[in-house]
Short mmCIF file of all heavy atoms in Angstrom, two decimals:
data_model
loop_
_atom_site.label_atom_id
_atom_site.label_comp_id
_atom_site.label_asym_id
_atom_site.label_seq_id
_atom_site.Cartn_x
_atom_site.Cartn_y
_atom_site.Cartn_z
N ILE H 2 124.50 43.02 91.86
CA ILE H 2 123.80 44.17 92.41
C ILE H 2 123.17 45.01 91.30
O ILE H 2 123.74 45.19 90.22
CB ILE H 2 124.77 45.02 93.26
CG1 ILE H 2 124.01 46.12 94.01
CG2 ILE H 2 125.88 45.59 92.40
CD1 ILE H 2 124.87 46.82 95.05
N GLY H 27 117.08 61.64 89.94
CA GLY H 27 115.78 61.71 89.30
C GLY H 27 114.80 60.65 89.75
O GLY H 27 114.06 60.08 88.94
N LEU H 106 148.51 70.15 69.06
CA LEU H 106 149.31 68.98 69.35
C LEU H 106 148.69 67.69 68.82
O LEU H 106 149.34 66.90 68.15
CB LEU H 106 149.55 68.90 70.86
CG LEU H 106 150.78 68.15 71.35
CD1 LEU H 106 151.13 68.60 72.75
CD2 LEU H 106 150.58 66.65 71.32
N PRO H 266 149.39 92.05 78.52
CA PRO H 266 150.70 91.81 79.16
C PRO H 266 150.55 91.76 80.68
O PRO H 266 149.80 92.56 81.27
CB PRO H 266 151.53 93.02 78.73
CG PRO H 266 150.81 93.58 77.53
CD PRO H 266 149.36 93.30 77.76
#
Side-chain angles (χ1 to χ4, degrees):
I2 188 170
L106 205 159

